[in-house]
Amino acid sequence: MDTSTNPLASSLGERIRDLSATHPVAIRRITSLAPVWTLLAMFIFFGLASPNFLTVRNLENILRQMSVLAVFATGMTFVLLLGEIDLSIAAVAGVSAMISATLFTKSGAAEPIPLLAALAAAILAGFISGFFSARFRIPTFMTTLAMQLIAGGMTTYLSKGRVITQITDVSEFLGSGRIGGPNGFPVIVVVAATSLLVGHLVLRYTRFGRYIYMTGASKPAARLAGVNTNRILLMVLTICGFTAGLAGVVGMGRLHSALPDAIPSYLMDTIGAVVLGGTSLMGGRGGIPQTLVGLLIYITLRNGLDNIPTIDIYLRDFITGWVLLVALVINTVFAGRTERDKTI
Amino acid sequence: MNHMDRRNFLKSSLLLSSGFALGNLLPVLEYRLAHAQDRPLRAAMSSAGLAGTWNAQGEEAARYFADLLGVEITWFDGEFDAAVQRAKFDTLTNESWDFVAVQPGAIGTLVEPIQDLVAAGTPVIDMDTLIAPLQDLQGLGVLTFIAPDNIFMSESVVKKVVEKMGYAGKIAHIGGQPGHTGAQARGQGFYNIVGQYPDIEIVDDQPADWNVARAADLTESVLNRHPDLKAIFADNDDMAISAAQVVANAGLQGQVIIGGVDAMPPAVEAVRDGVLVATARNSACRIHSWAVIAGTVAATLGLEAARNEIPFYVLADGPAIYSDIASDPALADEPWKLANYGMSATDGQLWLMKQYLF
């Protein structure tokens, strides 16, 4: 049958192609916003599935649940844009929190000493990983894996396996405080928003940010263009260390505890959220706005499923995994981010 | 009489009768059994991680008793991650519940949402491990803390292990997660007993974080360094069974004595088969089902009345179960003088666990 004469008989793919040919800019704009549509679809679905989902309290929960990851994700976006990886963030966060709590409880140090010491330790951890990767050409996968063990081991040594539940007022304020009284706005969300905003401004409006994109897109080309790629790598991993340390302090304030083990979900959830938003693992593509959308999708999915009690508890992770995979496919295929293999 | 009045009347009658019963919970439970369908209660429960066999058994027991008492449970799995459990607890506070019972993954991490729940008048029951440091727990408004005595359990097992060692030789300790208060207490129990015998040498003491693969690695390593090792005590059964497999692979099952804690079904069977020398029952069924009962009572009587009714601390642990069976022909006519009447306790324990009673 001649489909050109019968519009009803043409396939969906053909129709989209036709539409793309006639309205290329509009279609590109719509598909490039695929992660946003995914997020909207989730909000609509969970809003219909659970009466508790679209309440003010739960929306605030989503923001709070996202906040620690958002601080981690700011640094991780820098790292992934460079085409590198940092596996040590959860462990660095753990050791930062433990240093702060140990100084406060055992040495009686008052703020800002515990906070500054925690952040300094995290910056040092990032710097060391960056230095060894840049100086000796060791893949960041390996240097940060080693740093994960170093930081985790230091946490265990400092804690002697004990949870410390006495934390500084500053940590508590950053993690659990509210602006404007007991029903005010959570400080942790402000910290997260500030972190993302500063990250965005640096990446978007500074020479350093442009160098990160250049280096991530093609390190040899960036080097030929005069960019000191080793210094970029060193600075990016140091920044990631700093955000990990800040996330550790904020997370400690949220959990009211410095834990003797790294929180396992922090690492993979952070990488998952950043990539889900559209930042490429290969580097050179993505940014903080994408990370924000990725974080929102990731946390909304988890929070939404938690708000539907009829889902079998033993099936929850299975469902989460599948929904995540579908969201990833939508985000990458419809946003045109996949480089298809033209040979097949 | 409208519906609310009738319910209040029933509640008042119940309070009166329970008052006369002087601390007896049975009238409340009878009331719930009779009225389970009238107004099902809604409860939220959370454990550190359902991937653990102990936690999964507790969840089954809780649901079984909840069904009996007309309680609909929504479970929030902590996934062995303090941040995940905290996020789920924040979500949990979106709704109102008749009661909430929780086994926290780490001390201190759930304080804020629990303060919100208590402020809203929701009874909160702490299961197995501390929500907050003990001195803060009562001030937090937690109704009751139902937990085992981890020191007692490990001491019971280690006593049998050192007895089988002949109170001399080399022993290794495989610890649980260092930050886990239960693991710390079990380690303390181990040292309390072993420290009494100067001829026993502790040649290795490392945490395996409840991880069976890590426990196997540690066992291989210690056997390599100390081929004359006589015993291993692991902080839980899963790690003890893992160590037993390594010992068997090395052909040393007759030489190395192994004990664990928790008395989960595979471990009880291992004790029955002589693979483990002893285990002690940390009753997931009792801890979780008692939490459901306490919560039901509080939801029925009201939180303040329940505080007067239910003690703040409820001990819930079980006996040690040994592989050897006491035997003495001279006591054939007086079997009550033999441990367990000269019989194995394993089948009885397995039967009780199948019924979620122990």
Side-chain angles (χ1 to χ4, degrees):
Chain A
M1 185 189 290
D2 182 6
T3 55
S4 63
T5 58
N6 182 2
L8 292 175
S10 65
S11 71
L12 182 65
E14 285 169 342
R15 284 201 218 174
I16 290 173
R17 269 197 295 275
D18 290 345
L19 210 56
S20 301
T22 51
H23 303 83
V25 177
I27 290 297
R28 206 178 308 130
R29 278 187 185 157
I30 290 170
T31 54
S32 68
L33 290 173
V36 179
W37 306 134
T38 306
L39 182 63
L40 272 176
M42 279 184 174
F43 264 84
I44 292 168
F45 172 76
F46 287 124
L48 292 172
S50 168
N52 300 305
F53 181 75
L54 285 178
T55 60
V56 173
R57 180 170 190 147
N58 192 55
L59 295 177
E60 186 192 302
N61 275 343
I62 289 174
L63 291 178
R64 284 195 298 162
Q65 288 166 7
M66 197 182 85
S67 293
V68 176
L69 277 191
V71 180
F72 275 121
T74 304
M76 187 58 80
T77 304
F78 279 63
V79 174
L80 293 189
L81 281 174
L82 211 54
E84 302 290 346
I85 193 80
D86 187 344
L87 301 178
S88 68
I89 56 167
V92 169
V95 78
S96 299
M98 189 53 71
I99 285 171
S100 167
T102 304
L103 282 173
F104 179 61
T105 55
K106 294 184 181 166
S107 307
E111 287 290 14
I113 294 170
L115 175 67
L116 293 177
L119 294 179
I123 289 169
L124 182 65
F127 180 85
I128 290 171
S129 297
F131 174 78
F132 280 99
S133 282
R135 178 73 181 79
F136 300 107
R137 303 270 194 275
I138 301 170
T140 48
F141 185 94
M142 290 313 299
T143 52
T144 58
L145 183 65
M147 184 51 66
Q148 182 188 88
L149 294 170
I150 293 166
M154 180 57 74
T155 310
T156 307
Y157 173 75
L158 287 174
S159 67
K160 300 286 186 289
R162 305 291 194 271
V163 178
I164 299 179
T165 54
Q166 286 175 286
I167 60 171
T168 65
D169 289 344
V170 171
S171 299
E172 182 150 354
F173 176 74
L174 292 174
S176 301
R178 283 175 182 273
I179 297 167
N183 296 318
F185 196 73
V187 174
I188 193 170
V189 179
V190 177
V191 174
T194 307
S195 169
L196 289 169
L197 180 64
V198 171
H200 177 63
L201 293 176
V202 169
L203 284 173
R204 184 80 177 79
Y205 297 108
T206 67
R207 185 182 297 171
F208 172 62
R210 286 195 292 278
Y211 284 174
I212 291 174
Y213 279 97
M214 280 175 70
T215 308
S218 172
K219 193 184 271 187
R223 204 178 294 130
L224 286 172
V227 176
N228 185 339
T229 54
N230 281 344
R231 184 184 291 172
I232 296 293
L233 175 61
L234 181 70
M235 289 174 73
V236 162
L237 281 182
T238 305
I239 288 169
C240 193
F242 168 76
T243 55
L246 181 61
V249 172
V250 172
M252 172 173 67
R254 176 165 152 75
L255 298 176
H256 287 273
S257 303
L259 303 174
D261 315 295
I263 291 178
S265 60
Y266 279 163
L267 173 63
M268 293 316 290
D269 284 359
T270 301
I271 295 173
V274 175
V275 174
L276 186 63
T279 296
S280 170
L281 275 169
M282 300 297 120
R285 201 165 48 203
I288 296 293
Q290 288 89 333
T291 293
L292 177 62
V293 176
L295 285 163
L296 282 166
I297 293 174
Y298 198 78
I299 297 299
T300 301
L301 173 60
R302 286 203 163 268
N303 178 284
L305 289 172
D306 287 340
N307 271 297
I308 306 175
T310 46
I311 295 176
D312 188 324
I313 187 74
Y314 289 99
L315 267 178
R316 202 168 288 257
D317 279 352
F318 178 80
I319 294 169
T320 307
W322 275 110
V323 176
L324 207 56
L325 191 60
V326 170
L328 203 54
V329 169
I330 291 170
N331 290 1
T332 51
V333 172
F334 282 89
R337 292 200 180 90
T338 47
E339 286 294 329
R340 299 235 173 126
D341 186 348
K342 303 278 176 19
T343 61
I344 54 172
Chain B
M1 184 183 288
N2 65 28
H3 180 70
M4 279 306 293
D5 289 340
R6 184 169 62 90
R7 188 187 300 161
N8 285 338
F9 171 75
L10 285 168
K11 270 191 175 179
S12 304
S13 309
L14 190 67
L15 277 167
L16 199 63
S17 63
S18 63
F20 281 125
L22 294 174
N24 194 339
L25 299 182
L26 294 179
V28 183
L29 299 181
E30 284 172 11
Y31 167 81
R32 279 305 309 168
L33 286 167
H35 298 278
Q37 306 305 321
D38 293 355
R39 183 202 163 224
L41 298 174
R42 289 184 72 247
M45 293 187 77
S46 177
S47 51
L50 283 177
T53 52
W54 188 88
N55 304 86
Q57 189 185 50
E59 188 245 7
E60 283 181 26
R63 287 195 190 279
Y64 177 78
F65 277 85
D67 282 347
L68 284 180
L69 296 169
V71 180
E72 289 170 1
I73 293 179
T74 302
W75 207 276
F76 294 83
D77 182 9
E79 300 178 27
F80 290 115
D81 185 315
V84 169
Q85 191 176 33
R86 172 56 191 268
K88 294 195 176 185
F89 243 77
D90 287 336
T91 304
L92 177 161
T93 57
N94 288 342
E95 299 180 54
S96 62
W97 304 94
D98 289 303
F99 68 89
V100 171
V102 57
Q103 180 210 19
I107 190 167
T109 55
L110 304 176
V111 167
E112 199 180 16
I114 283 178
Q115 282 171 336
D116 290 346
L117 288 167
V118 171
T122 309
V124 176
I125 296 125
D126 187 354
M127 303 187 293
D128 184 50
T129 42
L130 291 165
I131 290 172
L134 192 57
Q135 64 272 21
D136 301 334
L137 194 62
Q138 216 157 357
L140 194 59
V142 167
L143 171 63
T144 185
F145 173 46
I146 304 171
D149 180 346
N150 285 289
I151 291 182
F152 165 78
M153 290 190 294
S154 69
E155 283 182 349
S156 303
V157 172
V158 177
K159 271 180 193 166
K160 179 57 73 176
V161 170
V162 299
E163 178 194 319
K164 301 289 272 184
M165 290 172 71
Y167 307 105
K170 293 179 177 177
I171 189 168
H173 174 221
I174 301 175
Q177 204 167 15
H180 191 272
T181 54
Q184 291 168 17
R186 290 174 194 188
Q188 184 63 49
F190 168 79
Y191 277 97
N192 289 350
I193 298 300
V194 173
Q196 297 171 17
Y197 302 100
D199 293 335
I200 294 180
E201 181 190 0
I202 301 168
V203 293
D204 201 48
D205 181 4
Q206 294 191 59
D209 301 340
W210 309 125
N211 181 327
V212 294
R214 179 84 183 125
D217 290 347
L218 288 175
T219 306
E220 281 170 349
S221 161
V222 74
L223 286 176
N224 185 43
R225 283 181 286 127
H226 302 280
D228 55 342
L229 188 77
K230 284 184 80 172
I232 295 171
F233 170 68
D235 278 359
N236 79 356
D237 287 335
D238 292 346
M239 295 192 297
I241 290 172
S242 174
Q245 188 58 52
V246 172
V247 167
N249 291 347
L252 296 171
Q253 55 268 60
Q255 174 193 312
V256 183
I257 297 151
I258 301 168
V261 176
D262 281 342
M264 294 300 293
V268 176
E269 286 162 7
V271 168
R272 183 183 59 196
D273 300 339
V275 176
L276 300 182
V277 71
T279 182
R281 180 62 179 151
N282 175 19
S283 180
C285 298
R286 292 211 289 191
I287 290 170
H288 288 76
S289 63
W290 291 358
V292 171
I293 289 171
T296 303
V297 168
T300 310
L301 292 181
L303 182 55
E304 291 315 311
R307 287 194 200 283
N308 296 327
E309 187 79 15
I310 301 169
F312 178 69
Y313 171 57
V314 179
L315 174 66
D317 53 21
I321 303 164
Y322 304 131
S323 60
D324 55 351
I325 298 167
S327 168
D328 184 352
L331 295 174
D333 294 332
E334 300 173 292
W336 54 88
K337 291 184 178 176
L338 295 169
N340 285 323
Y341 298 88
M343 293 183 283
S344 168
T346 54
D347 289 342
Q349 289 294 316
L350 289 169
W351 177 79
L352 284 169
M353 273 189 257
K354 279 184 186 162
Q355 327 305 319
Y356 305 118
L357 292 173
F358 210 84

